[in-house]
Amino acid sequence: MRKLLVAALCVAVTATGCGASVEPATDAKSAAVTLTNCGRKVTFDKVPERVVTNDVGITELMFALGLEDRMAGFAMPDDKGDLTGVPWKDGYDRVKWLSKDQLTKENVLDARADLVFAGWNYGFREDSGFTPDALKKLGIPSYVLTESCHNGRTETSRGIMPPLDALYADLTNLGKLFGVEKRAAALIADFKKQVAEVRAQAPEAADRPKVFLYDSGQDQPFTSGRYAAPEQIISEAGGTNVMHDVQDSWTTVGWESVVQRDPDVIVICDYGDVSAEQKKKFLLSYAPLRNVSAVKHKRIFVLDYVDLVESPRNPSAVARLGTYLRTVTEER
């Protein structure tokens, strides 16, 4: 995933990187700002000056908007991957790495944070009590990643809008909150242009390859439903997510449903202790999958974790997957 094309990403961040000029961020004493976040109106009394973020995609949303000077730190695992070609990679050197695990009340307080930007299962979690409501009691406001918003179908189901719309919604909100609306609008316009260019090359609906996103799991696979970023990355790239009917973001399904839907391509999410190569070997050797088209023809494509969660790398992932899916379409 992290093998990004510098030129493509420079196009994507004309408002923020590659030598572009940007408007200054809003003064911290500006008037209150009201945003809609996860379907609720949220008012921020001032522009945050010490934001802490959880996870790579969320952190890079701040970096892509040039907001490093508004950050007090970030939390994410050891492996951020290869940052070569990422226009906002300097942000990692400029902002403190608070934790190689997840945010906690303790490291948020230690950082003197005045905003926590995280998501459900991307930092916020009921089991440990690290929630927006708990932070509010400490006097610390929160902003919830839109991809992760609970949708009310179950206590844990997430996602309230198409994934790329969630990306654009967060960029728009952050632009308004920090007074960098022009910067956010330019970024969104460039992302939409990139995605539209790939969409224009996609095959007709009847010829689209069926795609299964494999995150992890051997007894049961963890995958993407309708509201996680892979859904729209796959569709805009010219494929069809075989789990489109699952009204959740990241979730567990059964192998029998994968076999029944017979994907033409499997996309591996590369992260964690199990390498992409180990995941590929498992998929190719797992007996129940032996008659699945993607396995029979060894059509397995790898994208990185940060490509596949809401992040400013999503448009580049669409482009790279689109190139691969067009090759598959031509071969079939």
mmCIF file with all atom_site columns, all heavy atoms in Angstrom, residues 19-44:
data_model
loop_
_atom_site.group_PDB
_atom_site.id
_atom_site.type_symbol
_atom_site.label_atom_id
_atom_site.label_alt_id
_atom_site.label_comp_id
_atom_site.label_asym_id
_atom_site.label_entity_id
_atom_site.label_seq_id
_atom_site.pdbx_PDB_ins_code
_atom_site.Cartn_x
_atom_site.Cartn_y
_atom_site.Cartn_z
_atom_site.occupancy
_atom_site.B_iso_or_equiv
_atom_site.pdbx_formal_charge
_atom_site.auth_seq_id
_atom_site.auth_comp_id
_atom_site.auth_asym_id
_atom_site.auth_atom_id
_atom_site.pdbx_PDB_model_num
ATOM 1   N N   . GLY A 1 19 ? 5.668   21.893 -2.343 1.00 0.00 ? 19 GLY A N   1
ATOM 2   C CA  . GLY A 1 19 ? 6.043   23.278 -2.573 1.00 0.00 ? 19 GLY A CA  1
ATOM 3   C C   . GLY A 1 19 ? 4.892   24.229 -2.769 1.00 0.00 ? 19 GLY A C   1
ATOM 4   O O   . GLY A 1 19 ? 5.093   25.402 -3.065 1.00 0.00 ? 19 GLY A O   1
ATOM 5   N N   . ALA A 1 20 ? 3.654   23.760 -2.620 1.00 0.00 ? 20 ALA A N   1
ATOM 6   C CA  . ALA A 1 20 ? 2.506   24.645 -2.816 1.00 0.00 ? 20 ALA A CA  1
ATOM 7   C C   . ALA A 1 20 ? 2.372   25.612 -1.661 1.00 0.00 ? 20 ALA A C   1
ATOM 8   O O   . ALA A 1 20 ? 2.727   25.316 -0.531 1.00 0.00 ? 20 ALA A O   1
ATOM 9   C CB  . ALA A 1 20 ? 1.227   23.809 -2.937 1.00 0.00 ? 20 ALA A CB  1
ATOM 10  N N   . SER A 1 21 ? 1.823   26.778 -1.942 1.00 0.00 ? 21 SER A N   1
ATOM 11  C CA  . SER A 1 21 ? 1.564   27.747 -0.878 1.00 0.00 ? 21 SER A CA  1
ATOM 12  C C   . SER A 1 21 ? 0.184   27.507 -0.316 1.00 0.00 ? 21 SER A C   1
ATOM 13  O O   . SER A 1 21 ? -0.716  27.068 -1.018 1.00 0.00 ? 21 SER A O   1
ATOM 14  C CB  . SER A 1 21 ? 1.664   29.173 -1.432 1.00 0.00 ? 21 SER A CB  1
ATOM 15  O OG  . SER A 1 21 ? 0.726   29.360 -2.463 1.00 0.00 ? 21 SER A OG  1
ATOM 16  N N   . VAL A 1 22 ? -0.002  27.778 0.966  1.00 0.00 ? 22 VAL A N   1
ATOM 17  C CA  . VAL A 1 22 ? -1.286  27.541 1.607  1.00 0.00 ? 22 VAL A CA  1
ATOM 18  C C   . VAL A 1 22 ? -1.672  28.742 2.439  1.00 0.00 ? 22 VAL A C   1
ATOM 19  O O   . VAL A 1 22 ? -0.831  29.552 2.824  1.00 0.00 ? 22 VAL A O   1
ATOM 20  C CB  . VAL A 1 22 ? -1.231  26.288 2.525  1.00 0.00 ? 22 VAL A CB  1
ATOM 21  C CG1 . VAL A 1 22 ? -0.945  25.049 1.710  1.00 0.00 ? 22 VAL A CG1 1
ATOM 22  C CG2 . VAL A 1 22 ? -0.167  26.460 3.602  1.00 0.00 ? 22 VAL A CG2 1
ATOM 23  N N   . GLU A 1 23 ? -2.977  28.867 2.700  1.00 0.00 ? 23 GLU A N   1
ATOM 24  C CA  . GLU A 1 23 ? -3.405  29.966 3.548  1.00 0.00 ? 23 GLU A CA  1
ATOM 25  C C   . GLU A 1 23 ? -3.096  29.634 4.995  1.00 0.00 ? 23 GLU A C   1
ATOM 26  O O   . GLU A 1 23 ? -3.073  28.462 5.372  1.00 0.00 ? 23 GLU A O   1
ATOM 27  C CB  . GLU A 1 23 ? -4.905  30.242 3.357  1.00 0.00 ? 23 GLU A CB  1
ATOM 28  C CG  . GLU A 1 23 ? -5.849  29.336 4.136  1.00 0.00 ? 23 GLU A CG  1
ATOM 29  C CD  . GLU A 1 23 ? -6.260  28.103 3.356  1.00 0.00 ? 23 GLU A CD  1
ATOM 30  O OE1 . GLU A 1 23 ? -5.479  27.647 2.498  1.00 0.00 ? 23 GLU A OE1 1
ATOM 31  O OE2 . GLU A 1 23 ? -7.352  27.582 3.616  1.00 0.00 ? 23 GLU A OE2 1
ATOM 32  N N   . PRO A 1 24 ? -2.807  30.605 5.830  1.00 0.00 ? 24 PRO A N   1
ATOM 33  C CA  . PRO A 1 24 ? -2.498  30.327 7.228  1.00 0.00 ? 24 PRO A CA  1
ATOM 34  C C   . PRO A 1 24 ? -3.718  29.787 7.954  1.00 0.00 ? 24 PRO A C   1
ATOM 35  O O   . PRO A 1 24 ? -4.857  30.100 7.607  1.00 0.00 ? 24 PRO A O   1
ATOM 36  C CB  . PRO A 1 24 ? -2.080  31.698 7.780  1.00 0.00 ? 24 PRO A CB  1
ATOM 37  C CG  . PRO A 1 24 ? -2.759  32.686 6.882  1.00 0.00 ? 24 PRO A CG  1
ATOM 38  C CD  . PRO A 1 24 ? -2.774  32.048 5.519  1.00 0.00 ? 24 PRO A CD  1
ATOM 39  N N   . ALA A 1 25 ? -3.472  28.973 8.972  1.00 0.00 ? 25 ALA A N   1
ATOM 40  C CA  . ALA A 1 25 ? -4.578  28.448 9.772  1.00 0.00 ? 25 ALA A CA  1
ATOM 41  C C   . ALA A 1 25 ? -5.221  29.575 10.572 1.00 0.00 ? 25 ALA A C   1
ATOM 42  O O   . ALA A 1 25 ? -4.605  30.596 10.866 1.00 0.00 ? 25 ALA A O   1
ATOM 43  C CB  . ALA A 1 25 ? -4.066  27.361 10.705 1.00 0.00 ? 25 ALA A CB  1
ATOM 44  N N   . THR A 1 26 ? -6.458  29.346 10.934 1.00 0.00 ? 26 THR A N   1
ATOM 45  C CA  . THR A 1 26 ? -7.211  30.327 11.692 1.00 0.00 ? 26 THR A CA  1
ATOM 46  C C   . THR A 1 26 ? -6.571  30.612 13.040 1.00 0.00 ? 26 THR A C   1
ATOM 47  O O   . THR A 1 26 ? -5.994  29.733 13.667 1.00 0.00 ? 26 THR A O   1
ATOM 48  C CB  . THR A 1 26 ? -8.651  29.795 11.910 1.00 0.00 ? 26 THR A CB  1
ATOM 49  O OG1 . THR A 1 26 ? -9.315  29.805 10.646 1.00 0.00 ? 26 THR A OG1 1
ATOM 50  C CG2 . THR A 1 26 ? -9.427  30.641 12.866 1.00 0.00 ? 26 THR A CG2 1
ATOM 51  N N   . ASP A 1 27 ? -6.697  31.822 13.518 1.00 0.00 ? 27 ASP A N   1
ATOM 52  C CA  . ASP A 1 27 ? -6.222  32.198 14.842 1.00 0.00 ? 27 ASP A CA  1
ATOM 53  C C   . ASP A 1 27 ? -7.013  31.457 15.901 1.00 0.00 ? 27 ASP A C   1
ATOM 54  O O   . ASP A 1 27 ? -8.228  31.276 15.786 1.00 0.00 ? 27 ASP A O   1
ATOM 55  C CB  . ASP A 1 27 ? -6.378  33.709 15.042 1.00 0.00 ? 27 ASP A CB  1
ATOM 56  C CG  . ASP A 1 27 ? -5.736  34.175 16.338 1.00 0.00 ? 27 ASP A CG  1
ATOM 57  O OD1 . ASP A 1 27 ? -6.404  34.051 17.380 1.00 0.00 ? 27 ASP A OD1 1
ATOM 58  O OD2 . ASP A 1 27 ? -4.595  34.652 16.295 1.00 0.00 ? 27 ASP A OD2 1
ATOM 59  N N   . ALA A 1 28 ? -6.331  31.007 16.940 1.00 0.00 ? 28 ALA A N   1
ATOM 60  C CA  . ALA A 1 28 ? -6.967  30.183 17.972 1.00 0.00 ? 28 ALA A CA  1
ATOM 61  C C   . ALA A 1 28 ? -8.058  30.921 18.736 1.00 0.00 ? 28 ALA A C   1
ATOM 62  O O   . ALA A 1 28 ? -8.859  30.304 19.415 1.00 0.00 ? 28 ALA A O   1
ATOM 63  C CB  . ALA A 1 28 ? -5.910  29.679 18.951 1.00 0.00 ? 28 ALA A CB  1
ATOM 64  N N   . LYS A 1 29 ? -8.127  32.258 18.631 1.00 0.00 ? 29 LYS A N   1
ATOM 65  C CA  . LYS A 1 29 ? -9.120  33.014 19.379 1.00 0.00 ? 29 LYS A CA  1
ATOM 66  C C   . LYS A 1 29 ? -10.387 33.275 18.570 1.00 0.00 ? 29 LYS A C   1
ATOM 67  O O   . LYS A 1 29 ? -11.241 34.053 18.970 1.00 0.00 ? 29 LYS A O   1
ATOM 68  C CB  . LYS A 1 29 ? -8.514  34.346 19.831 1.00 0.00 ? 29 LYS A CB  1
ATOM 69  C CG  . LYS A 1 29 ? -7.347  34.178 20.804 1.00 0.00 ? 29 LYS A CG  1
ATOM 70  C CD  . LYS A 1 29 ? -6.777  35.521 21.225 1.00 0.00 ? 29 LYS A CD  1
ATOM 71  C CE  . LYS A 1 29 ? -5.572  35.347 22.171 1.00 0.00 ? 29 LYS A CE  1
ATOM 72  N NZ  . LYS A 1 29 ? -4.984  36.644 22.559 1.00 0.00 ? 29 LYS A NZ  1
ATOM 73  N N   . SER A 1 30 ? -10.503 32.634 17.408 1.00 0.00 ? 30 SER A N   1
ATOM 74  C CA  . SER A 1 30 ? -11.660 32.854 16.555 1.00 0.00 ? 30 SER A CA  1
ATOM 75  C C   . SER A 1 30 ? -12.933 32.349 17.231 1.00 0.00 ? 30 SER A C   1
ATOM 76  O O   . SER A 1 30 ? -12.895 31.614 18.210 1.00 0.00 ? 30 SER A O   1
ATOM 77  C CB  . SER A 1 30 ? -11.468 32.143 15.218 1.00 0.00 ? 30 SER A CB  1
ATOM 78  O OG  . SER A 1 30 ? -10.374 32.690 14.530 1.00 0.00 ? 30 SER A OG  1
ATOM 79  N N   . ALA A 1 31 ? -14.064 32.740 16.648 1.00 0.00 ? 31 ALA A N   1
ATOM 80  C CA  . ALA A 1 31 ? -15.368 32.393 17.214 1.00 0.00 ? 31 ALA A CA  1
ATOM 81  C C   . ALA A 1 31 ? -15.604 30.890 17.160 1.00 0.00 ? 31 ALA A C   1
ATOM 82  O O   . ALA A 1 31 ? -14.929 30.148 16.446 1.00 0.00 ? 31 ALA A O   1
ATOM 83  C CB  . ALA A 1 31 ? -16.455 33.129 16.451 1.00 0.00 ? 31 ALA A CB  1
ATOM 84  N N   . ALA A 1 32 ? -16.605 30.442 17.927 1.00 0.00 ? 32 ALA A N   1
ATOM 85  C CA  . ALA A 1 32 ? -16.949 29.023 17.990 1.00 0.00 ? 32 ALA A CA  1
ATOM 86  C C   . ALA A 1 32 ? -17.360 28.509 16.611 1.00 0.00 ? 32 ALA A C   1
ATOM 87  O O   . ALA A 1 32 ? -17.901 29.241 15.789 1.00 0.00 ? 32 ALA A O   1
ATOM 88  C CB  . ALA A 1 32 ? -18.075 28.820 18.995 1.00 0.00 ? 32 ALA A CB  1
ATOM 89  N N   . VAL A 1 33 ? -17.116 27.214 16.390 1.00 0.00 ? 33 VAL A N   1
ATOM 90  C CA  . VAL A 1 33 ? -17.455 26.555 15.132 1.00 0.00 ? 33 VAL A CA  1
ATOM 91  C C   . VAL A 1 33 ? -18.356 25.368 15.443 1.00 0.00 ? 33 VAL A C   1
ATOM 92  O O   . VAL A 1 33 ? -18.062 24.571 16.337 1.00 0.00 ? 33 VAL A O   1
ATOM 93  C CB  . VAL A 1 33 ? -16.182 26.075 14.407 1.00 0.00 ? 33 VAL A CB  1
ATOM 94  C CG1 . VAL A 1 33 ? -16.547 25.253 13.174 1.00 0.00 ? 33 VAL A CG1 1
ATOM 95  C CG2 . VAL A 1 33 ? -15.297 27.249 14.021 1.00 0.00 ? 33 VAL A CG2 1
ATOM 96  N N   . THR A 1 34 ? -19.468 25.255 14.712 1.00 0.00 ? 34 THR A N   1
ATOM 97  C CA  . THR A 1 34 ? -20.381 24.127 14.864 1.00 0.00 ? 34 THR A CA  1
ATOM 98  C C   . THR A 1 34 ? -20.301 23.234 13.639 1.00 0.00 ? 34 THR A C   1
ATOM 99  O O   . THR A 1 34 ? -20.427 23.701 12.510 1.00 0.00 ? 34 THR A O   1
ATOM 100 C CB  . THR A 1 34 ? -21.827 24.604 15.066 1.00 0.00 ? 34 THR A CB  1
ATOM 101 O OG1 . THR A 1 34 ? -21.901 25.384 16.269 1.00 0.00 ? 34 THR A OG1 1
ATOM 102 C CG2 . THR A 1 34 ? -22.783 23.417 15.190 1.00 0.00 ? 34 THR A CG2 1
ATOM 103 N N   . LEU A 1 35 ? -20.079 21.934 13.867 1.00 0.00 ? 35 LEU A N   1
ATOM 104 C CA  . LEU A 1 35 ? -19.956 20.952 12.801 1.00 0.00 ? 35 LEU A CA  1
ATOM 105 C C   . LEU A 1 35 ? -20.976 19.841 13.002 1.00 0.00 ? 35 LEU A C   1
ATOM 106 O O   . LEU A 1 35 ? -21.457 19.622 14.118 1.00 0.00 ? 35 LEU A O   1
ATOM 107 C CB  . LEU A 1 35 ? -18.550 20.330 12.809 1.00 0.00 ? 35 LEU A CB  1
ATOM 108 C CG  . LEU A 1 35 ? -17.350 21.272 12.773 1.00 0.00 ? 35 LEU A CG  1
ATOM 109 C CD1 . LEU A 1 35 ? -16.070 20.472 12.946 1.00 0.00 ? 35 LEU A CD1 1
ATOM 110 C CD2 . LEU A 1 35 ? -17.321 22.070 11.477 1.00 0.00 ? 35 LEU A CD2 1
ATOM 111 N N   . THR A 1 36 ? -21.269 19.120 11.937 1.00 0.00 ? 36 THR A N   1
ATOM 112 C CA  . THR A 1 36 ? -22.069 17.903 12.043 1.00 0.00 ? 36 THR A CA  1
ATOM 113 C C   . THR A 1 36 ? -21.123 16.720 11.991 1.00 0.00 ? 36 THR A C   1
ATOM 114 O O   . THR A 1 36 ? -20.426 16.512 11.004 1.00 0.00 ? 36 THR A O   1
ATOM 115 C CB  . THR A 1 36 ? -23.091 17.801 10.897 1.00 0.00 ? 36 THR A CB  1
ATOM 116 O OG1 . THR A 1 36 ? -23.975 18.922 10.947 1.00 0.00 ? 36 THR A OG1 1
ATOM 117 C CG2 . THR A 1 36 ? -23.908 16.525 11.013 1.00 0.00 ? 36 THR A CG2 1
ATOM 118 N N   . ASN A 1 37 ? -21.082 15.962 13.083 1.00 0.00 ? 37 ASN A N   1
ATOM 119 C CA  . ASN A 1 37 ? -20.180 14.820 13.201 1.00 0.00 ? 37 ASN A CA  1
ATOM 120 C C   . ASN A 1 37 ? -20.977 13.609 13.659 1.00 0.00 ? 37 ASN A C   1
ATOM 121 O O   . ASN A 1 37 ? -21.592 13.634 14.721 1.00 0.00 ? 37 ASN A O   1
ATOM 122 C CB  . ASN A 1 37 ? -19.062 15.152 14.190 1.00 0.00 ? 37 ASN A CB  1
ATOM 123 C CG  . ASN A 1 37 ? -18.024 14.054 14.349 1.00 0.00 ? 37 ASN A CG  1
ATOM 124 O OD1 . ASN A 1 37 ? -17.457 13.868 15.409 1.00 0.00 ? 37 ASN A OD1 1
ATOM 125 N ND2 . ASN A 1 37 ? -17.728 13.320 13.290 1.00 0.00 ? 37 ASN A ND2 1
ATOM 126 N N   . CYS A 1 38 ? -20.990 12.559 12.840 1.00 0.00 ? 38 CYS A N   1
ATOM 127 C CA  . CYS A 1 38 ? -21.775 11.343 13.130 1.00 0.00 ? 38 CYS A CA  1
ATOM 128 C C   . CYS A 1 38 ? -23.253 11.671 13.330 1.00 0.00 ? 38 CYS A C   1
ATOM 129 O O   . CYS A 1 38 ? -23.918 11.099 14.207 1.00 0.00 ? 38 CYS A O   1
ATOM 130 C CB  . CYS A 1 38 ? -21.199 10.605 14.336 1.00 0.00 ? 38 CYS A CB  1
ATOM 131 S SG  . CYS A 1 38 ? -19.583 9.855  14.015 1.00 0.00 ? 38 CYS A SG  1
ATOM 132 N N   . GLY A 1 39 ? -23.753 12.618 12.538 1.00 0.00 ? 39 GLY A N   1
ATOM 133 C CA  . GLY A 1 39 ? -25.170 12.965 12.566 1.00 0.00 ? 39 GLY A CA  1
ATOM 134 C C   . GLY A 1 39 ? -25.574 13.897 13.687 1.00 0.00 ? 39 GLY A C   1
ATOM 135 O O   . GLY A 1 39 ? -26.759 14.219 13.821 1.00 0.00 ? 39 GLY A O   1
ATOM 136 N N   . ARG A 1 40 ? -24.613 14.347 14.490 1.00 0.00 ? 40 ARG A N   1
ATOM 137 C CA  . ARG A 1 40 ? -24.925 15.243 15.603 1.00 0.00 ? 40 ARG A CA  1
ATOM 138 C C   . ARG A 1 40 ? -24.200 16.570 15.439 1.00 0.00 ? 40 ARG A C   1
ATOM 139 O O   . ARG A 1 40 ? -23.077 16.625 14.941 1.00 0.00 ? 40 ARG A O   1
ATOM 140 C CB  . ARG A 1 40 ? -24.523 14.614 16.939 1.00 0.00 ? 40 ARG A CB  1
ATOM 141 C CG  . ARG A 1 40 ? -25.254 13.328 17.276 1.00 0.00 ? 40 ARG A CG  1
ATOM 142 C CD  . ARG A 1 40 ? -25.020 12.927 18.724 1.00 0.00 ? 40 ARG A CD  1
ATOM 143 N NE  . ARG A 1 40 ? -23.592 12.775 19.030 1.00 0.00 ? 40 ARG A NE  1
ATOM 144 C CZ  . ARG A 1 40 ? -23.123 12.542 20.243 1.00 0.00 ? 40 ARG A CZ  1
ATOM 145 N NH1 . ARG A 1 40 ? -23.958 12.452 21.269 1.00 0.00 ? 40 ARG A NH1 1
ATOM 146 N NH2 . ARG A 1 40 ? -21.818 12.407 20.442 1.00 0.00 ? 40 ARG A NH2 1
ATOM 147 N N   . LYS A 1 41 ? -24.849 17.634 15.869 1.00 0.00 ? 41 LYS A N   1
ATOM 148 C CA  . LYS A 1 41 ? -24.223 18.946 15.865 1.00 0.00 ? 41 LYS A CA  1
ATOM 149 C C   . LYS A 1 41 ? -23.240 19.025 17.039 1.00 0.00 ? 41 LYS A C   1
ATOM 150 O O   . LYS A 1 41 ? -23.602 18.732 18.178 1.00 0.00 ? 41 LYS A O   1
ATOM 151 C CB  . LYS A 1 41 ? -25.262 20.052 15.989 1.00 0.00 ? 41 LYS A CB  1
ATOM 152 C CG  . LYS A 1 41 ? -26.225 20.149 14.814 1.00 0.00 ? 41 LYS A CG  1
ATOM 153 C CD  . LYS A 1 41 ? -25.534 20.670 13.557 1.00 0.00 ? 41 LYS A CD  1
ATOM 154 C CE  . LYS A 1 41 ? -26.546 20.885 12.424 1.00 0.00 ? 41 LYS A CE  1
ATOM 155 N NZ  . LYS A 1 41 ? -25.868 21.354 11.194 1.00 0.00 ? 41 LYS A NZ  1
ATOM 156 N N   . VAL A 1 42 ? -22.016 19.419 16.751 1.00 0.00 ? 42 VAL A N   1
ATOM 157 C CA  . VAL A 1 42 ? -20.987 19.530 17.776 1.00 0.00 ? 42 VAL A CA  1
ATOM 158 C C   . VAL A 1 42 ? -20.368 20.913 17.665 1.00 0.00 ? 42 VAL A C   1
ATOM 159 O O   . VAL A 1 42 ? -19.958 21.329 16.578 1.00 0.00 ? 42 VAL A O   1
ATOM 160 C CB  . VAL A 1 42 ? -19.889 18.460 17.606 1.00 0.00 ? 42 VAL A CB  1
ATOM 161 C CG1 . VAL A 1 42 ? -18.852 18.583 18.718 1.00 0.00 ? 42 VAL A CG1 1
ATOM 162 C CG2 . VAL A 1 42 ? -20.497 17.062 17.588 1.00 0.00 ? 42 VAL A CG2 1
ATOM 163 N N   . THR A 1 43 ? -20.320 21.636 18.782 1.00 0.00 ? 43 THR A N   1
ATOM 164 C CA  . THR A 1 43 ? -19.758 22.987 18.779 1.00 0.00 ? 43 THR A CA  1
ATOM 165 C C   . THR A 1 43 ? -18.408 22.998 19.485 1.00 0.00 ? 43 THR A C   1
ATOM 166 O O   . THR A 1 43 ? -18.262 22.469 20.589 1.00 0.00 ? 43 THR A O   1
ATOM 167 C CB  . THR A 1 43 ? -20.709 23.985 19.468 1.00 0.00 ? 43 THR A CB  1
ATOM 168 O OG1 . THR A 1 43 ? -21.937 24.024 18.734 1.00 0.00 ? 43 THR A OG1 1
ATOM 169 C CG2 . THR A 1 43 ? -20.104 25.383 19.490 1.00 0.00 ? 43 THR A CG2 1
ATOM 170 N N   . PHE A 1 44 ? -17.436 23.590 18.815 1.00 0.00 ? 44 PHE A N   1
ATOM 171 C CA  . PHE A 1 44 ? -16.099 23.766 19.389 1.00 0.00 ? 44 PHE A CA  1
ATOM 172 C C   . PHE A 1 44 ? -15.923 25.245 19.710 1.00 0.00 ? 44 PHE A C   1
ATOM 173 O O   . PHE A 1 44 ? -16.093 26.106 18.838 1.00 0.00 ? 44 PHE A O   1
ATOM 174 C CB  . PHE A 1 44 ? -15.031 23.294 18.392 1.00 0.00 ? 44 PHE A CB  1
ATOM 175 C CG  . PHE A 1 44 ? -15.142 21.830 18.046 1.00 0.00 ? 44 PHE A CG  1
ATOM 176 C CD1 . PHE A 1 44 ? -15.940 21.410 16.992 1.00 0.00 ? 44 PHE A CD1 1
ATOM 177 C CD2 . PHE A 1 44 ? -14.481 20.869 18.791 1.00 0.00 ? 44 PHE A CD2 1
ATOM 178 C CE1 . PHE A 1 44 ? -16.064 20.063 16.673 1.00 0.00 ? 44 PHE A CE1 1
ATOM 179 C CE2 . PHE A 1 44 ? -14.586 19.524 18.494 1.00 0.00 ? 44 PHE A CE2 1
ATOM 180 C CZ  . PHE A 1 44 ? -15.384 19.119 17.434 1.00 0.00 ? 44 PHE A CZ  1
#
